[in-house]
Structures are given as C-alpha cells and as structure tokens.
Amino acid sequence: MKTHYGIYGGQYVAETLMTPLHELEKAYADAKRDPAFKAEMDDILVHYVGRESPLTYARRLSEHLGGARIVLKREDLNHTGAHKVNNTVGQALLARRMGKTRLIAETGAGMHGVATATVAALFGMECEVFMGAIDVARQSPNVARMKMLGAKVHAVSEGSATLKDAMNEAIRDWTANCDDTFYVIGTVAGPAPYPEMVRDFQSVIGKEARRQCLKAYGKLPDQAIACVGGGSNAMGLFAGFLEDPSVTLVGVEAGGKGLATGEHAASICGGRVGVLHGSKTYLLQTPSGQIIDTYSVSAGLDYPGVGPEHAYLADTGRATYTTINDDEAIAAFDALCRFEGIIPALESSHAVAEAIKRAPTLPKEAILLVNLSGRGDKDMENVERWKSGRVGR
Amino acid sequence: MNRIQKTFARCKAEGKAAYVAYLTMGAPTLEKSFAAAETLLGEGVDILELGVPFSDPVADGAVIRAAANRALANGVTLADVLAGVSGLRARHPDTPVVIFTYYNILYSYGLKRFADEAAQRGVDAVLVVDLPLEERGELLDVLRPAGLTLVPLVAPTTGPARVRAIAEGLEDSFLYAVTVKGTTGQRASLPPELASRLTEIKRLVNLPVVAGFGIRTPEEGAAVASHCDGFVIGSALVERFMKDA
Ligand SMILES: Cc1ncc(COP(=O)(O)O)c(C=O)c1O
C-alpha cells in the first residue's frame, strides 16, 4: 500500500484511528485482489451509475473560440450528477465487506453527501453527513436531496463553516464510533489509504476518457484539464494519462477573488507545505501554522488543502496547476449553458474556463479534454446571487 | 534521570499517582493561562502539559475547542508559549513541562528551530496529538539531539504489539493512555474495562503510564491511577479557568 507520495501524504491522525486505518488498508488490499469485488463494482457502475459516461465534443463553443477542440468527459451524467458516486460505490462496497453498518461523510457542495446518502440507501445502511453551515445555505437543493434519501445532515458552524470544518467534525465522529462506522472521504485527501483508494475508484474517468478519445479522434488529448478542490475528479482523470508524457495535465484551483486578494482556495498555487486532515500537503495557512479560511464561489473547491498526490505531481512538474477566479468561472458556466445546452457545476466551470482560455492559442487539431465533473442544478440560486452582487459568503 | 523520570520516582516514593494537568495556553488570556499553571502547581500538580492552540483541533471536544478559539482570537502563538516557559522553568526547576499540540504548529515553525528553542526554554517533552508511530521519526530526529523526548499515546484501539512498538525508544518519557474512543472532554462515565486495560498496558511497557480523557477531579484520577502511574485532567481544568475569566 502506498502511504506517501514523495514527502507528501502519510497518516497524521490520532492513535485511536490508526487501527481502523490499518483495517481499512487490509480490507482494501483484499478487495483489490478479489475478482468478485471488481465484478460487483463494475456491475453497479454500469447498471446503476450509468457508466460509461460519454465524451462530448463541445462543437459550438470550440468553433466560437476558434482554436483547439474542447471535449467534455460527462461525469455530470452519472446518477446523482457528479463524479463523486464512482468513489462512494467503491467505499460502500468496502464498508459492507468490513461489516460496517453506518456511513459518515463530509461534504462541501453536497454532491459527495448526496452520493454517500445514495449508496447508503442502496445498501440499506445508516448515513450521517457533515456539512459547513455556509454550504448548507448556499447548496440547499443538495441538503434536501440528502434528507430525501434518508440521511441525517449536520450543519457545522465552527471555524469557517465550510468543507474543512465539516471534515473536522466527521473525523471526530469517526474517532468516537469507529467500531461500526465507515468514514467515506469524498476526495483524494485524508490519511492513507484514502488518497490512493479514492484515486483508484475515480480512475475509471481517465481510463474511459483515454479509450474514448483514441476511438473518436484517433489520438490522445493534448491536454487534460480538471478542477481541483481536494482533487478527486482531477486525479481520476489524470490517472488515465500519467504514463502518456505527450498529454499535458492541468489542475485548476479556485482563484476566488484573485490570488493577490488572499480570498481564494488555491492550496498549491498560493499555499505552503503543512499537515492537515491526516496528510502532509500544500495548505493555505498563516505564518504560525493556523489554517486560513478559504473563499470560492464554488463550495466544492472551498478547501484549504489538496490531495497529497497533487502536491507531488506539482513538485515533479508532471502536472501544472493554475487558478481561475470566480468571474471567469461564472462566464464559463454561462458559455457552456448557451453554446452547448449543458449546465455545469460551478466547480467544473473552473476547468471549462481554463479550456476557454487555452483553446484560442492552439491549432484546430489540438484536443483539450475537460472533466465536466458535475452538473449545475445545485448552483442555480448561487449563480443568480453572485450575478446580482450578493456573493455566496 | 531527567525531570520526568525523577518526578515519577518521587511520586512512587510518596505513594501517590502523578497528577498531570493540561491547559490551553492563551485562554482566556496568555497571562491568565500561565497564572493558572502556577495555581495548579500550588495545588499539587506534578507535570504540566501546555496546549498550543491549532485552528483545526480534530482530537478535541467542545471545551478545549472553545478555549483554543479564544486563544487564537488572542493571537497566541507557539513562540508566545515557549517564551512563557522560561519564567515557569525559573520558578519551578523540577517540574516537567510538556508542549502539547498538533503537528502543523511545529512543522510550520520549523522542527529544528522548535526543538532548539524549546530545549533552551526548559521544555522537557512534546506531545503531538496527530503524530502516530509511523510519522514520528522526522520529529524525533530533531528532538533527540536537543535533549527532548516525546510523549507517546496509546488508544483503546491499540493492540498489544503496537503498544510495545509505540513505547519503544521512549523509556525516558511517560505513556499517555487514552481512556476512551473519541475526543477530549468529560463523559458520564469511564469504560468499565479501563482498569484491566491499564493493567495490561502497564505489563506491556516499561515506562510510567498515565490515563487521560474524561477524568474530572484529582480524586477520580487517583482512583483510575490505582492501575497505573498517573492521570491527566484537561477539559475540567480548562473549563474552570475559562469560567474564572
Ligand atoms: C461537481 C464537483 N466537481 C468537483 C468537486 C471538487 O472535488 P474534487 O477536487 O475532489 O474533485 C466537487 C466537490 O464537491 C464537485 O461537487
């Protein structure tokens, strides 16, 4: 089992959680070797999630921009409307294998919470979701969905009342209830084995996209672009192309009001190495090591850390990380609605915005593969509010 | 023998359990938290754990979190707490002082810089809540040359082989046995199997063992410590001194 990526990753948790983590490592290693596990996972991904997800050529948008072809990997079309479900199916299967009866999760935008509540219902498990109070307010449709699916939602008002604080509370719950509870982490962060496990479950995105791209265009994409909150949709996409040096990997962090303003959530582009939520990685923190309140119009990117493998890929230069500000993301949201008839999640809109920036500088033959990690139904109200100047925070 | 070893030897000779007190430094103010430490030493506390606040205290319950928030609002830093240790050390040359915090605070400060300054101020040991056996090498590498030790923790979930591995190489320190699964703070009751668990841990290791989490009074602590060498009171003290604010 891989616990570190260079200096990053690790298992920086209280001793109480070390034995549960070791049990999880072992269960996951066993499951990986078990063909029945893979068969059941694949069956659910096909017949329940609706995989594989299509690759859509964004023709009108690309032609309007007059450069590279933008191609969308449609994770928004998965059941529950985002990539998050790829991972929750895997973790719920593991939880069942380990005899756990209760799932807990942290959530930012609420997509991971919904995806966890969904698989809990599917497997007949109890589910409790921790969500920052600010996110409860700005992603209310997802709160309603989680409740409808039978999950209990805890609004966390401590700290910045967003994703990081939801994760703190989930870790506390797990520490107290680790006997019967499985903590379903929603991204490639947290202590080992979560970053590797979540990446493995999400790697279906990159594997499919690679095959689909070769089939449809007879070549690999020139660039693969994804937004980075904790980094799971990006790691899932990148996983398909890590061994293809010709493919440029681009991670897009939330620039919020701009890097220079300090109001952003760009851990790699604007942070410093530290330890939070079980791993060593890039963090937004004060000079004395206190974690800073982040800001982004997009709740799912509003997190002060990033998965340790991204920190490693940034250092080695295999992937490039950049930022997109709120206004650029909103413009890309509009563009995708108007040119393609697709309402993207605000998180995914950051990746679309980066593609919109890059496409005109590249020839028509170039392919920009964008991970459309989720759909934007949850963001309607938030976007309206942003446009009328009443920003989400 | 270091101060920790001498203290446990003295307690043993006196036939009493070592009383370890935890305080969140900087709450309600930095001055008051150091005054609280003095008060506690006057009340018979043997070892001080000085908590340095972190913005994301995942191992802490509501009381210590509230105190940490207050301390952070006061702008209290690791440097402030270390500076205060000099005075404590001058007045109490024999009392072990443990810096208690989360790893990012030390990592951000610079591990070597921390170890050297802590040693110079008179700190004896460090307890890092989120630094398990697997990750502690990096810190020990700088603590040892500076003459400092680490206070390791074992939890109710820690199996026998792991308890041994955790204690190994830290015989000049003491072992913190967490009594319950969960965060710091008071509970309606301690688990019924605690006595046998502490007896088991004592048998596995050869350093003093203290029990902590959920202990409210020295009397309760002494009862628990009849199966080990000492006890820790944290949240109850933090609550008391926050109330006095
Ligand atoms: C649609 C969507 N995309 C992206 C993210 C960001 O998470 P990650 O970086 O783990 O993919 C979220 C998180 O809530 C999301 O809902």
Side-chain angles (χ1 to χ4, degrees):
Chain A
M1 183 82 26
K2 196 169 169 65
T3 55
H4 291 77
Y5 304 87
I7 66 162
Y8 303 109
Q11 296 179 306
Y12 296 88
V13 296
E15 173 58 22
T16 308
L17 290 178
M18 285 308 295
T19 298
L21 283 176
H22 288 149
E23 286 166 1
L24 177 59
E25 279 173 17
K26 190 178 169 309
Y28 180 53
D30 285 350
K32 256 207 228 184
R33 281 192 301 267
D34 180 0
F37 182 85
K38 187 180 178 332
E40 186 168 11
M41 172 103 192
D42 288 349
D43 183 72
I44 295 173
L45 288 180
V46 171
H47 297 107
Y48 184 76
V49 173
R51 300 207 73 90
E52 60 182 38
S53 67
L55 207 58
T56 302
Y57 172 36
R59 179 185 301 278
R60 287 192 65 231
L61 179 62
S62 302
E63 286 176 0
H64 169 76
L65 295 168
R69 286 171 289 176
I70 296 174
V71 172
L72 308 170
K73 178 61 175 164
R74 301 292 304 279
E75 294 299 302
D76 61 315
L77 293 179
N78 293 338
H79 178 46
T80 74
H83 69 292
K84 297 288 182 187
V85 71
N86 302 327
N87 168 48
T88 59
V89 167
Q91 290 199 44
L93 280 171
L94 257 187
R96 198 186 60 188
R97 218 179 148 88
M98 295 174 75
K100 309 286 182 188
T101 54
R102 177 173 175 264
L103 303 182
I104 57 168
E106 83 295 337
T107 196
M111 299 309 276
H112 174 61
V114 167
T116 306
T118 298
V119 294
L122 182 65
F123 291 122
M125 292 173 174
E126 242 184 285
C127 180
E128 294 187 39
V129 179
F130 298 89
M131 188 169 185
I134 285 178
D135 295 337
V136 166
R138 64 179 162 170
Q139 306 275 254
S140 58
N142 275 342
V143 177
R145 291 168 80 199
M146 286 183 265
K147 288 183 178 162
M148 197 73 77
L149 290 161
K152 192 166 166 194
V153 182
H154 300 277
V156 178
S157 34
E158 254 177 82
S160 57
T162 57
L163 184 51
K164 138 183 117 66
D165 309 281
M167 192 146 178
N168 289 344
E169 223 27 59
I171 292 173
R172 289 184 192 115
D173 184 295
W174 196 34
T175 311
N177 301 302
C178 51
D179 289 340
D180 70 341
T181 297
F182 189 105
Y183 179 17
V184 184
I185 295 185
T187 190
V188 286
Y194 282 99
E196 186 196 8
M197 185 172 69
V198 176
R199 165 216 158 127
D200 288 351
F201 290 143
Q202 292 293 1
S203 65
V204 64
I205 301 172
K207 283 182 199 151
E208 281 179 11
R210 186 178 193 282
R211 178 166 24 85
Q212 291 169 314
C213 194
L214 281 172
K215 184 160 180 237
Y217 306 99
K219 59 175 267 187
L220 290 173
D222 295 81
Q223 307 191 11
I225 306 173
C227 67
V228 177
S232 68
N233 87 88
M235 221 41 251
L237 182 71
F238 293 177
F241 302 100
L242 280 174
E243 308 304 322
D244 298 312
S246 71
V247 181
T248 302
L249 305 176
V250 183
V252 184
E253 298 193 302
K257 297 178 184 172
L259 267 190
T261 66
E263 293 195 56
H264 59 80
S267 323
I268 294 177
C269 297
R272 184 160 70 77
V273 178
V275 171
L276 178 70
H277 294 156
S279 34
K280 191 182 281 180
T281 186
Y282 283 102
L283 299 175
L284 295 171
Q285 53 182 319
T286 67
S288 55
Q290 308 300 346
I291 306 305
I292 289 176
D293 289 1
T294 51
Y295 166 78
S296 167
V297 67
S298 145
L301 303 183
D302 209 348
Y303 180 68
V306 65
E309 193 170 2
H310 284 295
Y312 179 72
L313 292 176
D315 281 8
T316 60
R318 177 63 191 96
T320 317
Y321 296 84
T322 181
T323 61
I324 282 292
N325 298 347
D326 282 359
D327 53 349
E328 299 169 302
I330 298 270
F333 176 95
D334 285 342
L336 209 64
C337 290
R338 298 299 174 85
F339 282 104
E340 301 296 336
I342 296 172
I343 302 176
L346 274 178
E347 291 78 16
S348 325
S349 301
H350 285 71
V352 174
E354 184 61 25
I356 289 175
K357 260 192 192 170
R358 290 177 182 235
T361 70
L362 296 164
K364 242 193 182 61
E365 298 69 46
I367 294 176
L368 299 182
L369 171 63
V370 174
N371 197 8
L372 201 69
S373 55
R375 67 182 189 218
D377 310 42
K378 68 184 176 66
D379 291 312
M380 309 305 293
E381 205 185 311
N382 202 19
V383 169
E384 281 314 310
R385 219 185 299 142
W386 194 93
K387 286 183 180 171
S388 63
R390 291 173 287 127
V391 186
R393 297 292 287 271
Chain B
M1 281 209 285
N2 65 24
R3 282 189 200 100
I4 292 173
Q5 291 165 314
K6 281 186 199 153
T7 299
F8 280 98
R10 174 179 56 74
C11 288
K12 194 169 180 184
E14 291 171 8
K16 61 170 268 203
Y19 176 3
V20 183
Y22 168 91
L23 288 172
T24 299
M25 304 314 285
T29 67
L30 190 64
E31 293 68 32
K32 282 184 177 167
S33 59
F34 275 103
E38 295 289 349
T39 303
L40 288 169
L41 290 173
E43 292 175 7
V45 159
D46 299 296
I47 297 176
L48 284 174
E49 289 180 349
L50 307 183
V52 180
F54 179 47
S55 53
D56 294 84
V58 290
D60 284 303
V63 169
I64 292 180
R65 262 142 62 196
N69 285 339
R70 175 77 74 88
L72 290 175
N74 292 337
V76 169
T77 64
L78 175 58
D80 296 329
V81 178
L82 288 178
V85 171
S86 297
L88 261 180
R89 178 53 67 228
R91 285 184 297 277
H92 306 279
D94 301 326
T95 303
V97 173
V98 178
I99 292 289
F100 186 115
T101 192
Y102 289 80
Y103 196 44
N104 198 52
I105 296 298
L106 305 183
Y107 193 83
S108 169
Y109 199 75
L111 297 180
K112 171 116 177 44
R113 173 184 170 211
F114 164 72
D116 294 344
E117 288 183 27
Q120 191 232 324
R121 300 289 192 180
V123 169
D124 299 282
V126 189
L127 189 159
V128 189
V129 181
D130 55 350
L131 194 71
L133 173 64
E134 284 75 0
E135 308 292 351
R136 74 189 189 191
E138 181 180 64
L139 181 61
L140 274 172
D141 284 348
V142 300
L143 290 183
R144 285 314 196 183
L148 298 182
T149 189
L150 192 68
V151 175
L153 296 107
V154 296
T157 50
T158 313
R162 189 171 167 84
V163 170
R164 274 204 202 93
I166 286 171
E168 202 180 307
L170 296 173
E171 288 76 12
D172 61 344
S173 183
F174 62 95
L175 181 67
Y176 191 131
V178 176
T179 56
V180 290
K181 292 183 200 114
T183 51
T184 54
Q186 301 174 28
R187 285 172 169 72
S189 63
L190 288 167
E193 67 278 10
L194 182 59
S196 60
R197 172 66 175 160
L198 291 172
T199 307
E200 183 200 8
I201 293 170
K202 276 293 293 172
R203 214 178 36 237
L204 290 166
V205 302
N206 69 39
L207 71 169
V209 175
V210 306
F213 278 36
I215 297 171
R216 283 166 294 205
T217 63
E219 293 69 36
E220 213 174 87
V224 169
S226 61
H227 309 282
C228 59
D229 306 288
F231 59 89
V232 187
I233 305 185
S235 295
L237 294 174
V238 170
E239 199 165 38
R240 168 180 154 195
F241 289 106
M242 288 291 279
K243 237 181 239 151
D244 284 355

